[in-house]
Amino acid sequence: MDELNGMPGVRSARWSGPACDDEENNALLLAQLDGVPRVRRRARFVCALAMVAPDGERRVWHGYLPGHITDAAPMGDNGFGYDPLFIPAGLDVTSAELTPAEKDSISHRGAAVREFVGYLGGLA
């Protein structure tokens, strides 16, 4: 997240401590952003998919889902982690309010996997 200097980043699952859960992480994130205007609540989900081939070739594919963190209470039941707080760019609902098919179509993980599959297809 821009406002939090890139945090929670790769430690997002343990943002509020080693034994925390999604609810605690979401509560901490909202507390840290209390009073921060929407324009400064930009965030994005990031996926990095890495491969090391037997010949030593190394590649990394990235997928991104930009959006922002809501200033409201968590909303939606379809998802986990920060999904109930994250509103994807161009939408007015949280990731947790999307259907699985809607979420899959914009997923940062899906984007990285599609790039990887495209690479594999080029090897055939």
Side-chain angles (χ1 to χ4, degrees):
M1 246 194 106
D2 294 343
E3 183 66 21
L4 299 176
N5 297 317
M7 296 299 194
V10 297
R11 301 206 185 280
S12 63
R14 297 170 302 285
W15 186 237
S16 62
C20 64
D21 61 17
D22 291 346
E23 197 171 296
E24 291 168 307
N25 284 332
N26 285 331
L28 177 60
L29 183 60
L30 286 177
Q32 290 172 325
L33 294 174
D34 187 40
V36 174
R38 179 179 171 173
V39 68
R40 291 186 12 223
R41 289 173 168 258
R42 287 188 317 263
R44 66 182 176 171
F45 284 126
V46 178
C47 175
L49 177 65
M51 175 201 80
V52 178
D55 66 2
E57 176 189 8
R58 298 174 185 193
R59 290 195 174 243
V60 179
W61 295 267
H62 292 92
Y64 303 96
L65 178 57
H68 71 276
I69 302 298
T70 183
D71 58 0
M75 297 172 281
D77 297 318
N78 296 327
F80 62 96
Y82 298 98
D83 286 346
L85 300 179
F86 184 81
I87 299 177
L91 301 178
D92 59 0
V93 296
T94 68
S95 291
E97 293 176 284
L98 298 173
T99 66
E102 290 169 328
K103 192 172 172 187
D104 287 349
S105 73
I106 62 172
S107 166
H108 56 298
R109 292 182 186 100
V113 168
R114 284 187 291 276
E115 292 284 327
F116 174 64
V117 168
Y119 168 78
L120 292 178
L123 296 177

